[in-house]
Amino acid sequence: MGQMGYRMTLVEAKQGTATLDMTGARRFAPPHQASERHAMDRAAIDSRIRTLIEPFNKKAVTITDATTFAGDLEFDSLTVMDFVAEIEDEFDVIISMNQQAEIENYGQLVTAVGTLAGDDA
Amino acid sequence: MSEGVNEADRPEVLAGEGTDLFSKFDPVITMRRDLLDSGVTDPFNLVMEKVLSPTRAICNGRDTILLGTYNYMGMTFDPDVVAAGTQALAEFGSGTTGSRVLNGTYQGHRECEDALREFYGMDHAMVFSTGYQANLGIISTMAGKGDYIVLDIDSHASIWDGCALGNAEVVPFKHNDIEAMEKRLRRIPEGAGKLVVLEGVYSMLGDIAPLKEMIAVAKKYGAMVLVDEAHSMGFIGPNGRGVAEDQGVLDQVDFVIGTFSKSVGTVGGFCVSNHPKFEILRLVCRPYVFTASLPPSVVATAATSIRKLMHGADKRARLWRNSRTLHAGLLEQGFRLGTSETQSAIVAVIMPDLERGATMWEALLREGLYVNLARPPATPANMTLLRCSLCAEHSEDEVETILGMFQRAGKAVGII
Ligand SMILES: Cc1ncc(COP(=O)(O)O)c(C=O)c1O
């Protein structure tokens, strides 16, 4: 049948072992180390992401830096894709799956976006 | 999860946390058992006891119409194809016992690649042991560290696994969304290599890609383009070369990936290309080098079948007629389908949920009809689908019979 893993399994999400991405991207190579020299203001990025995440936070979980996407927010793969696309559009960046694989919680996402967006600035 | 009588049979493995390396599969085990506990036949454990023709087999002792085998052109019992395989088996033996780059390239492998080059009108063809390996090999080898792969989120497992095997940055975009694809290409850092990966027909819903527009965008950003045409060979495009040919952009495609496991009617995979440096891939593509080549009988059947597909106008017409009849008939009966009009030879019937999907699947099997059950997480938007793939060899009567079976089963299960 071979269809398992055509996409990703929710199994990973339910177990809380998955990172932001659930398409098996954990096997991908680590992301580039981007420079943080021009990092955007963290508080500003945080508030923009907080607004973006609202419609995806179905259970109105209180979001802290430690909130995990797969575990606490119960994001499945489709939600991850839509949410990542919103952030990419908002900040005009690419968050490749390799990079997503390193992002497990909210705080890490804010840091990553700061680095990526700052790089371009 | 149901309670009571089944409780005692449950294996211990589900009890503890981190019992061993199998523990991560517990949720799948539970999902599967819940489904079987509801009393349905295991949809993923069907045995074809006898195969009578491309469209009929004996399953559970019953004569069954096959409507989920991707045997689009019905080549599996073609007398010329079978004769070519039989002859090669007798003359060249049962297997090559070797890699394509060592002792595993026989005359038949060359002839098979010649047939592919002719079929696609391209300069180069490389035959892999499966289509899965063709995607695995080409994608992981072409896109290296620092390069970017931009791909449709609904891509086949073999494409995802090709991404996972390599070291490139992987950037998916929303299914068939040209704008989403363009945004991602635009944001890729200057100077990075880019590979855009698309499919002609997406096999879950049977919908086709707007390749003309997408390839124009890919080229605008200087990307190389790979198109998987697994589900279009032989019956889409003026020469059956696929969706890219149909939309007039085949000359813009750098790599066409295909398989022998559908229209060609055997097993194997391939990549065809016009790139002048293409042949070097035979030395650097690991899923090509580090595995044994296809048996002589298989490449002989493939080559014969491919050459016959070049002249398959009748079959092609029958396949489209069958697809349109089934699509229109199911819509009329009130089923929800993956596409509003016939786009390919796949008709995906959308089920309300996994449980009714499995019940419907079983009801159809009892009627004497085999379709493909696709369920989350393999499906887009976590849908449960009954995927039907038509065959040129289904008779008009058979398609009518199939429609009757769907109507009875659909009413019994309460879907229509
Ligand atoms: C789109 C697509 N690509 C590749 C493959 C793999 O082909 P094969 O069966 O030859 O491994 C399939 C079929 O399973 C497919 O549907």
Coordinates of all heavy atoms in Angstrom, one line a residue, chain A residues 1-12 14-15 23-24 27-32 76-78 81-82 84-100 120, chain B residues 23-25 27-28 44 145-146 148 153-157 160-161 163-164 166-174 183-184 186-188 204 372-375 377-382 387:
Chain A
M1 N 0.8 -1.2 0.0 CA 0.0 0.0 0.0 C 0.9 1.3 0.0 O 0.5 2.2 -0.4 CB -0.9 0.1 1.2 CG -1.9 -1.0 1.3 SD -3.1 -1.2 0.0 CE -3.5 0.5 -0.4
G2 N 1.9 1.3 0.6 CA 2.9 2.4 0.5 C 2.4 3.8 0.7 O 3.1 4.8 0.4
Q3 N 1.1 4.0 1.1 CA 0.7 5.4 1.2 C 1.0 6.0 2.6 O 1.0 7.2 2.7 CB -0.8 5.5 1.0 CG -1.1 5.5 -0.5 CD -2.2 4.6 -0.8 OE1 -2.9 4.1 0.0 NE2 -2.3 4.2 -2.1
M4 N 1.3 5.2 3.5 CA 1.7 5.8 4.8 C 2.9 6.7 4.6 O 3.9 6.4 3.9 CB 2.2 4.7 5.8 CG 1.0 4.0 6.4 SD 0.2 5.0 7.6 CE 1.4 5.1 8.9
G5 N 2.8 7.9 5.1 CA 3.9 8.8 5.0 C 4.0 9.5 3.6 O 4.9 10.2 3.3
Y6 N 3.0 9.3 2.8 CA 2.8 10.2 1.6 C 2.8 11.6 2.1 O 3.4 12.5 1.6 CB 1.5 9.8 1.0 CG 0.7 10.8 0.2 CD1 1.1 11.2 -1.1 CD2 -0.3 11.5 0.9 CE1 0.4 12.2 -1.7 CE2 -1.0 12.4 0.2 CZ -0.7 12.8 -1.1 OH -1.4 13.7 -1.7
R7 N 2.1 11.8 3.2 CA 2.2 13.0 4.0 C 2.8 12.6 5.3 O 3.7 11.8 5.4 CB 0.8 13.5 4.2 CG 0.4 14.7 3.8 CD 0.8 15.7 3.0 NE -0.3 16.2 2.2 CZ -1.4 16.6 2.6 NH1 -1.6 16.6 3.9 NH2 -2.3 16.9 1.8
M8 N 2.3 13.1 6.3 CA 2.9 12.9 7.6 C 1.9 12.3 8.5 O 0.7 12.3 8.2 CB 3.3 14.3 8.1 CG 2.2 15.3 8.1 SD 1.3 15.4 6.5 CE 2.5 16.3 5.5
T9 N 2.3 11.8 9.6 CA 1.3 11.2 10.5 C 1.0 12.1 11.7 O 1.8 12.7 12.3 CB 1.8 9.8 11.0 OG1 3.0 10.1 11.8 CG2 2.2 8.9 9.9
L10 N -0.3 12.0 12.0 CA -0.8 12.7 13.1 C -0.2 12.1 14.4 O -0.2 12.7 15.4 CB -2.3 12.7 13.2 CG -2.9 13.7 12.3 CD1 -4.4 13.6 12.3 CD2 -2.5 15.1 12.7
V11 N 0.1 10.8 14.2 CA 0.7 10.0 15.3 C 1.8 10.8 15.9 O 1.8 10.9 17.2 CB 1.2 8.7 14.7 CG1 2.1 8.0 15.7 CG2 0.1 7.9 14.1
E12 N 2.6 11.4 15.1 CA 3.8 12.1 15.7 C 3.3 13.3 16.5 O 3.8 13.6 17.5 CB 4.7 12.6 14.5 CG 5.3 11.4 13.8 CD 6.1 11.9 12.6 OE1 5.4 12.3 11.6 OE2 7.3 11.9 12.6
K14 N 0.3 13.6 18.0 CA -0.3 13.2 19.3 C 0.7 12.8 20.3 O 0.5 13.0 21.5 CB -1.2 12.0 19.0 CG -2.4 12.3 18.1 CD -3.6 12.7 18.9 CE -4.7 13.3 18.1 NZ -5.1 12.5 16.9
Q15 N 1.8 12.2 19.9 CA 2.8 11.8 20.9 C 3.6 12.9 21.4 O 4.3 12.8 22.3 CB 3.7 10.8 20.2 CG 3.1 9.5 19.9 CD 4.2 8.6 19.3 OE1 5.0 9.0 18.5 NE2 4.2 7.3 19.8
T23 N 6.2 16.3 8.6 CA 6.3 15.5 7.4 C 7.5 14.7 7.4 O 7.9 14.2 6.4 CB 6.3 16.4 6.2 OG1 7.5 17.2 6.3 CG2 5.1 17.3 6.1
G24 N 8.0 14.4 8.5 CA 9.2 13.6 8.6 C 10.5 14.4 8.4 O 11.6 14.0 8.2
R27 N 14.2 14.4 9.8 CA 15.4 13.7 9.2 C 16.2 14.7 8.3 O 17.3 14.3 7.9 CB 14.9 12.5 8.4 CG 14.4 11.4 9.2 CD 13.7 10.3 8.4 NE 12.4 10.8 8.0 CZ 11.9 10.5 6.8 NH1 12.6 9.8 6.0 NH2 10.7 11.0 6.5
F28 N 15.7 15.8 8.0 CA 16.4 16.7 7.2 C 17.6 17.3 7.9 O 17.7 17.3 9.1 CB 15.5 17.9 6.7 CG 14.4 17.4 5.8 CD1 13.1 17.9 6.0 CD2 14.7 16.6 4.8 CE1 12.1 17.5 5.1 CE2 13.7 16.2 3.9 CZ 12.4 16.6 4.1
A29 N 18.5 17.9 7.2 CA 19.7 18.5 7.7 C 19.3 19.7 8.5 O 18.3 20.3 8.3 CB 20.7 18.8 6.6
P30 N 20.1 20.1 9.5 CA 19.8 21.3 10.3 C 19.9 22.5 9.4 O 20.5 22.5 8.4 CB 21.0 21.4 11.3 CG 21.8 20.2 11.1 CD 21.4 19.4 9.9
P31 N 19.2 23.6 9.8 CA 19.1 24.8 9.0 C 20.4 25.6 9.0 O 21.3 25.3 9.8 CB 18.1 25.6 9.6 CG 18.1 25.2 11.1 CD 18.5 23.8 11.1
H32 N 20.5 26.5 8.0 CA 21.7 27.4 8.0 C 21.7 28.2 9.3 O 20.7 28.6 9.8 CB 21.6 28.3 6.8 CG 21.6 27.6 5.5 ND1 22.4 26.6 5.2 CD2 20.7 27.8 4.5 CE1 22.1 26.2 4.0 NE2 21.1 26.9 3.5
D76 N -2.0 19.9 13.4 CA -1.7 18.8 12.5 C -1.0 19.4 11.3 O -0.7 20.6 11.2 CB -3.0 18.0 12.1 CG -4.0 18.9 11.3 OD1 -3.6 20.0 10.8 OD2 -5.1 18.5 11.2
S77 N -0.7 18.5 10.3 CA 0.2 18.9 9.3 C -0.4 20.0 8.4 O 0.3 20.9 8.0 CB 0.5 17.7 8.4 OG -0.7 17.1 8.0
L78 N -1.7 20.0 8.2 CA -2.3 21.0 7.4 C -2.3 22.4 8.1 O -2.1 23.4 7.5 CB -3.8 20.6 7.1 CG -3.9 19.4 6.2 CD1 -5.4 19.0 6.1 CD2 -3.4 19.7 4.8
M81 N 1.1 23.8 7.8 CA 1.3 24.4 6.5 C 0.7 25.8 6.4 O 1.3 26.8 5.9 CB 0.8 23.5 5.4 CG 1.1 24.1 4.0 SD 0.2 23.3 2.6 CE -1.5 23.6 3.0
D82 N -0.6 25.9 6.8 CA -1.3 27.2 6.6 C -0.7 28.2 7.6 O -0.5 29.4 7.2 CB -2.8 27.0 7.0 CG -3.5 26.2 5.9 OD1 -3.0 26.1 4.8 OD2 -4.6 25.6 6.2
V84 N 2.4 28.4 8.8 CA 3.7 28.7 8.3 C 3.6 29.7 7.1 O 4.3 30.7 7.0 CB 4.6 27.5 7.9 CG1 5.8 27.9 7.1 CG2 5.0 26.7 9.2
A85 N 2.6 29.4 6.2 CA 2.4 30.2 5.0 C 2.1 31.7 5.5 O 2.6 32.6 4.9 CB 1.4 29.7 4.1
E86 N 1.2 31.8 6.5 CA 0.9 33.1 7.0 C 2.1 33.9 7.5 O 2.2 35.1 7.3 CB -0.2 33.0 8.1 CG -1.5 32.4 7.7 CD -2.6 33.4 7.7 OE1 -2.4 34.4 8.3 OE2 -3.6 33.2 6.9
I87 N 2.9 33.2 8.3 CA 4.1 33.8 8.8 C 5.0 34.2 7.7 O 5.6 35.3 7.7 CB 4.8 32.9 9.9 CG1 3.8 32.8 11.1 CG2 6.1 33.5 10.3 CD1 4.4 32.1 12.2
E88 N 5.2 33.3 6.8 CA 6.1 33.6 5.6 C 5.7 34.9 4.9 O 6.5 35.7 4.5 CB 6.2 32.4 4.7 CG 7.0 31.2 5.3 CD 7.0 30.0 4.4 OE1 6.0 29.8 3.6 OE2 8.0 29.3 4.4
D89 N 4.4 35.0 4.7 CA 3.8 36.1 3.9 C 4.0 37.4 4.8 O 4.3 38.5 4.3 CB 2.3 35.9 3.6 CG 2.2 34.9 2.4 OD1 3.2 34.5 1.9 OD2 1.0 34.5 2.1
E90 N 3.7 37.3 6.0 CA 3.7 38.5 6.9 C 5.2 39.1 7.0 O 5.4 40.3 6.9 CB 3.3 38.1 8.3 CG 3.5 39.1 9.4 CD 2.4 40.2 9.4 OE1 1.4 40.1 8.7 OE2 2.7 41.3 10.0
F91 N 6.2 38.2 7.1 CA 7.5 38.7 7.2 C 8.4 38.6 5.9 O 9.5 38.9 5.9 CB 8.2 37.9 8.4 CG 7.6 38.1 9.7 CD1 6.6 37.3 10.2 CD2 8.0 39.2 10.5 CE1 6.0 37.5 11.4 CE2 7.4 39.5 11.7 CZ 6.4 38.6 12.2
D92 N 7.7 38.1 4.9 CA 8.4 37.9 3.6 C 9.7 37.1 3.7 O 10.8 37.5 3.3 CB 8.7 39.2 2.9 CG 8.9 39.1 1.4 OD1 8.4 38.1 0.8 OD2 9.7 39.9 0.9
V93 N 9.5 35.9 4.4 CA 10.7 35.0 4.6 C 10.3 33.6 4.1 O 9.1 33.3 3.8 CB 11.1 34.9 6.1 CG1 11.6 36.3 6.5 CG2 9.9 34.4 6.9
I94 N 11.3 32.7 4.0 CA 11.0 31.3 3.8 C 11.4 30.6 5.1 O 12.5 30.8 5.6 CB 11.9 30.7 2.7 CG1 11.4 31.2 1.3 CG2 11.9 29.2 2.7 CD1 12.1 30.5 0.1
I95 N 10.5 29.8 5.6 CA 10.9 28.9 6.7 C 10.9 27.5 6.1 O 9.8 26.9 6.0 CB 9.9 29.0 7.9 CG1 9.7 30.5 8.3 CG2 10.5 28.2 9.1 CD1 8.7 30.7 9.4
S96 N 12.0 27.0 5.6 CA 12.0 25.7 5.0 C 11.7 24.6 6.0 O 11.7 24.8 7.2 CB 13.4 25.4 4.4 OG 14.3 25.2 5.4
M97 N 11.3 23.4 5.5 CA 10.9 22.4 6.4 C 12.1 22.0 7.3 O 11.9 21.5 8.4 CB 10.4 21.2 5.6 CG 9.1 21.5 5.0 SD 8.4 20.2 4.1 CE 8.3 18.9 5.3
N98 N 13.3 22.1 6.7 CA 14.5 21.8 7.5 C 14.6 22.7 8.7 O 14.9 22.3 9.8 CB 15.8 22.0 6.6 CG 15.6 21.6 5.2 OD1 14.6 21.9 4.6 ND2 16.5 20.9 4.7
Q99 N 14.2 24.0 8.5 CA 14.2 25.0 9.6 C 13.1 24.7 10.5 O 13.2 24.7 11.8 CB 14.2 26.4 9.1 CG 15.5 26.8 8.4 CD 15.3 28.0 7.5 OE1 14.4 28.2 6.8 NE2 16.3 28.9 7.6
Q100 N 11.9 24.4 10.0 CA 10.7 24.1 10.8 C 11.0 22.9 11.8 O 10.5 22.9 12.9 CB 9.5 23.7 9.9 CG 9.0 24.8 9.1 CD 7.9 24.3 8.1 OE1 7.2 23.4 8.4 NE2 7.9 25.0 7.0
D120 N 17.4 39.9 6.2 CA 17.0 40.6 4.9 C 17.0 42.1 5.1 O 17.1 42.8 4.1 CB 15.5 40.2 4.5 CG 15.5 39.0 3.7 OD1 16.6 38.5 3.4 OD2 14.5 38.5 3.3
Chain B
S23 N 7.0 1.2 20.3 CA 5.9 2.0 21.0 C 5.4 3.1 20.2 O 4.3 3.5 20.3 CB 6.5 2.4 22.3 OG 6.9 1.3 23.1
K24 N 6.3 3.7 19.3 CA 5.8 4.9 18.6 C 4.7 4.5 17.6 O 4.0 5.4 17.1 CB 7.0 5.5 17.8 CG 7.8 4.6 16.9 CD 8.9 5.3 16.2 CE 10.1 4.5 15.8 NZ 10.7 3.7 16.8
F25 N 4.5 3.2 17.3 CA 3.4 2.8 16.4 C 2.1 2.6 17.1 O 1.1 2.2 16.5 CB 3.8 1.6 15.6 CG 5.1 1.8 14.8 CD1 6.2 1.0 15.1 CD2 5.3 2.8 13.9 CE1 7.4 1.2 14.4 CE2 6.5 3.0 13.2 CZ 7.5 2.2 13.5
P27 N -0.3 4.4 18.3 CA -1.5 5.0 17.8 C -2.0 4.4 16.5 O -3.3 4.3 16.3 CB -1.1 6.5 17.6 CG 0.1 6.7 18.6 CD 0.8 5.4 18.6
V28 N -1.1 4.0 15.7 CA -1.6 3.4 14.4 C -2.2 2.0 14.7 O -3.2 1.6 14.1 CB -0.4 3.2 13.4 CG1 -0.9 2.7 12.1 CG2 0.4 4.5 13.3
F44 N -6.7 -3.5 4.1 CA -5.3 -3.4 3.7 C -4.6 -4.8 3.7 O -3.4 -5.0 3.8 CB -4.5 -2.4 4.5 CG -5.1 -1.1 4.5 CD1 -5.7 -0.5 5.6 CD2 -5.1 -0.3 3.3 CE1 -6.3 0.7 5.5 CE2 -5.7 0.9 3.2 CZ -6.3 1.4 4.4
K145 N 23.1 20.2 -1.1 CA 23.2 21.2 0.1 C 23.2 22.6 -0.4 O 23.9 22.9 -1.4 CB 24.5 20.9 0.9 CG 24.5 21.5 2.2 CD 25.5 20.9 3.2 CE 25.5 21.6 4.5 NZ 24.2 21.7 5.1
G146 N 22.4 23.4 0.2 CA 22.3 24.8 -0.2 C 21.3 25.1 -1.4 O 20.9 26.2 -1.6
Y148 N 17.5 24.6 -3.2 CA 16.1 24.6 -2.7 C 15.2 23.7 -3.5 O 15.2 23.8 -4.8 CB 15.5 26.0 -2.7 CG 16.0 26.8 -1.5 CD1 17.3 27.3 -1.5 CD2 15.2 27.1 -0.5 CE1 17.8 28.1 -0.4 CE2 15.6 27.9 0.6 CZ 16.9 28.3 0.6 OH 17.3 29.1 1.7
I153 N 2.4 20.5 -1.8 CA 2.2 19.9 -0.5 C 1.6 18.5 -0.6 O 1.7 17.6 0.2 CB 1.4 20.8 0.5 CG1 1.4 20.2 1.9 CG2 -0.1 20.9 0.0 CD1 2.6 20.6 2.7
D154 N 0.8 18.3 -1.7 CA 0.2 17.0 -1.9 C 1.0 16.0 -2.7 O 0.5 15.0 -3.3 CB -1.2 17.2 -2.6 CG -2.2 17.7 -1.7 OD1 -2.0 17.7 -0.4 OD2 -3.3 18.1 -2.1
S155 N 2.3 16.2 -2.7 CA 3.2 15.3 -3.5 C 3.2 13.9 -3.0 O 3.0 13.6 -1.8 CB 4.6 15.9 -3.5 OG 4.7 17.1 -4.1
H156 N 3.5 13.0 -3.9 CA 3.5 11.5 -3.6 C 4.7 11.2 -2.6 O 5.7 11.9 -2.5 CB 3.8 10.8 -4.8 CG 3.7 9.3 -4.7 ND1 4.8 8.5 -4.5 CD2 2.6 8.4 -4.6 CE1 4.4 7.2 -4.4 NE2 3.1 7.2 -4.5
A157 N 4.5 10.2 -1.8 CA 5.5 9.8 -0.8 C 6.9 9.7 -1.3 O 7.9 10.0 -0.7 CB 5.1 8.4 -0.2
W160 N 8.5 13.1 -1.4 CA 8.9 13.5 -0.1 C 10.1 12.8 0.4 O 11.0 13.3 1.0 CB 7.7 13.3 0.9 CG 6.6 14.3 0.8 CD1 5.3 14.1 0.4 CD2 6.7 15.7 1.2 NE1 4.6 15.3 0.4 CE2 5.4 16.3 0.9 CE3 7.7 16.5 1.6 CZ2 5.1 17.6 1.1 CZ3 7.4 17.9 1.9 CH2 6.2 18.4 1.6
D161 N 10.1 11.5 0.1 CA 11.3 10.7 0.6 C 12.5 11.1 -0.2 O 13.6 11.0 0.4 CB 11.0 9.2 0.4 CG 9.9 8.8 1.4 OD1 9.4 9.6 2.2 OD2 9.5 7.6 1.4
C163 N 13.2 14.1 -1.1 CA 13.6 15.3 -0.3 C 14.3 14.9 0.9 O 15.3 15.5 1.3 CB 12.4 16.2 0.0 SG 11.5 16.9 -1.4
A164 N 13.8 14.0 1.6 CA 14.3 13.6 2.9 C 15.7 12.9 2.8 O 16.6 13.0 3.6 CB 13.4 12.6 3.7
G166 N 18.0 13.7 0.5 CA 19.0 14.7 0.1 C 19.2 15.7 1.2 O 18.7 15.6 2.3
N167 N 20.0 16.7 0.8 CA 20.4 17.7 1.8 C 19.9 19.1 1.5 O 20.3 20.1 2.0 CB 21.9 17.8 1.9 CG 22.5 16.5 2.5 OD1 22.0 16.0 3.5 ND2 23.4 15.9 1.8
A168 N 19.0 19.2 0.5 CA 18.5 20.5 0.1 C 17.5 21.1 1.1 O 16.9 20.4 1.9 CB 17.9 20.4 -1.3
E169 N 17.2 22.4 1.0 CA 16.2 23.0 1.8 C 14.9 22.7 1.1 O 14.7 22.8 -0.1 CB 16.4 24.6 1.8 CG 17.6 25.0 2.5 CD 17.6 24.8 4.0 OE1 16.6 25.0 4.6 OE2 18.7 24.4 4.5
V170 N 13.9 22.3 1.9 CA 12.6 21.8 1.3 C 11.5 22.8 1.6 O 11.3 23.1 2.8 CB 12.3 20.4 1.9 CG1 10.9 19.9 1.3 CG2 13.4 19.4 1.6
V171 N 10.9 23.3 0.6 CA 9.9 24.4 0.7 C 8.6 24.0 0.0 O 8.5 24.1 -1.2 CB 10.4 25.7 0.2 CG1 9.4 26.8 0.4 CG2 11.7 26.1 0.8
P172 N 7.6 23.5 0.8 CA 6.3 23.1 0.2 C 5.4 24.3 0.0 O 5.5 25.3 0.6 CB 5.7 22.2 1.2 CG 6.3 22.6 2.5 CD 7.6 23.3 2.2
F173 N 4.5 24.2 -1.0 CA 3.4 25.2 -1.2 C 2.1 24.5 -1.3 O 2.0 23.4 -1.6 CB 3.7 26.1 -2.4 CG 3.8 25.4 -3.7 CD1 2.6 25.1 -4.4 CD2 5.0 24.9 -4.2 CE1 2.7 24.4 -5.6 CE2 5.0 24.1 -5.4 CZ 3.9 23.9 -6.1
K174 N 1.0 25.3 -1.1 CA -0.4 24.8 -1.1 C -0.7 24.2 -2.5 O -0.3 24.7 -3.5 CB -1.3 26.0 -0.8 CG -2.7 25.6 -0.6 CD -3.5 26.8 0.0 CE -5.0 26.4 -0.1 NZ -5.8 27.6 -0.5
K183 N 5.6 33.0 -4.7 CA 6.1 33.7 -3.5 C 7.3 33.0 -3.0 O 8.3 33.6 -2.6 CB 5.0 33.7 -2.4 CG 4.0 34.8 -2.6 CD 3.1 34.7 -1.3 CE 1.8 35.4 -1.5 NZ 0.8 35.0 -0.5
R184 N 7.2 31.7 -2.9 CA 8.4 30.9 -2.3 C 9.6 31.0 -3.2 O 10.7 31.2 -2.8 CB 7.9 29.5 -2.1 CG 7.2 29.4 -0.7 CD 6.2 28.4 -0.5 NE 5.4 28.7 0.7 CZ 4.4 29.6 0.7 NH1 4.0 30.2 -0.4 NH2 3.9 29.9 1.9
R186 N 10.3 33.4 -5.2 CA 10.8 34.8 -5.1 C 11.7 35.0 -3.9 O 12.6 35.8 -3.9 CB 9.6 35.7 -5.1 CG 10.0 37.2 -5.1 CD 8.8 38.1 -5.4 NE 7.5 37.8 -4.7 CZ 7.3 38.1 -3.4 NH1 8.3 38.6 -2.7 NH2 6.2 37.8 -2.8
R187 N 11.4 34.3 -2.8 CA 12.1 34.5 -1.6 C 13.4 33.7 -1.4 O 14.1 33.9 -0.5 CB 11.2 34.2 -0.4 CG 10.0 35.1 -0.2 CD 9.0 34.6 0.9 NE 7.8 35.4 0.9 CZ 6.6 34.9 1.2 NH1 6.5 33.6 1.5 NH2 5.6 35.6 1.2
I188 N 13.6 32.9 -2.4 CA 14.9 32.0 -2.3 C 16.1 32.9 -2.5 O 16.1 33.8 -3.4 CB 14.8 30.9 -3.3 CG1 13.7 29.9 -2.9 CG2 16.2 30.2 -3.4 CD1 13.5 28.8 -3.9
M204 N -4.5 11.3 -5.6 CA -5.5 11.1 -4.5 C -6.9 11.6 -5.0 O -7.9 10.9 -4.9 CB -5.1 11.9 -3.3 CG -4.0 11.2 -2.5 SD -4.7 9.7 -1.7 CE -3.2 8.8 -1.5
N372 N -9.9 1.3 -4.3 CA -8.8 1.6 -3.4 C -9.3 2.4 -2.3 O -9.8 3.5 -2.5 CB -7.9 2.4 -4.3 CG -6.4 2.0 -4.2 OD1 -5.6 2.9 -4.0 ND2 -6.2 0.7 -4.4
L373 N -9.1 2.0 -1.0 CA -9.4 2.8 0.1 C -8.2 3.6 0.5 O -7.2 3.1 0.8 CB -9.9 1.9 1.3 CG -10.2 2.7 2.6 CD1 -11.4 3.5 2.5 CD2 -10.4 1.7 3.7
A374 N -8.4 4.9 0.5 CA -7.3 5.8 0.9 C -7.8 6.6 2.2 O -8.9 7.1 2.2 CB -6.9 6.8 -0.2
R375 N -7.0 6.6 3.2 CA -7.4 7.2 4.4 C -6.3 8.1 5.0 O -5.2 8.0 4.6 CB -7.9 6.1 5.4 CG -6.9 5.0 5.6 CD -6.0 5.1 6.7 NE -5.1 4.0 6.9 CZ -3.9 3.8 6.3 NH1 -3.6 4.7 5.4 NH2 -3.1 2.8 6.5
P377 N -3.4 9.2 7.3 CA -2.8 10.5 6.9 C -2.4 10.6 5.5 O -1.7 11.6 5.1 CB -1.7 10.7 7.8 CG -1.2 9.3 8.0 CD -2.4 8.4 7.9
A378 N -2.7 9.6 4.7 CA -2.2 9.6 3.3 C -2.9 10.6 2.4 O -2.4 10.8 1.3 CB -2.3 8.2 2.7
T379 N -4.0 11.1 2.8 CA -4.9 11.9 1.9 C -4.8 13.4 2.2 O -4.5 13.8 3.3 CB -6.3 11.4 2.2 OG1 -6.6 11.4 3.6 CG2 -6.6 10.0 1.6
P380 N -5.1 14.2 1.2 CA -5.2 15.6 1.4 C -6.3 15.9 2.4 O -7.4 15.3 2.3 CB -5.4 16.2 0.0 CG -5.2 15.1 -0.9 CD -5.4 13.8 -0.2
A381 N -6.2 16.9 3.2 CA -7.2 17.4 4.1 C -7.8 16.3 4.9 O -8.9 16.3 5.4 CB -8.3 18.1 3.3
N382 N -7.0 15.2 5.2 CA -7.4 14.1 6.0 C -8.8 13.5 5.6 O -9.5 13.0 6.4 CB -7.5 14.5 7.5 CG -6.1 14.8 8.0 OD1 -5.1 14.1 7.6 ND2 -6.0 15.7 8.9
R387 N -10.9 5.4 -4.0 CA -10.3 5.8 -5.3 C -10.6 4.8 -6.4 O -10.3 3.6 -6.2 CB -8.9 6.1 -5.2 CG -8.6 7.5 -4.7 CD -7.1 7.7 -4.6 NE -6.5 6.6 -3.9 CZ -5.2 6.4 -4.0 NH1 -4.4 7.1 -4.7 NH2 -4.7 5.3 -3.3

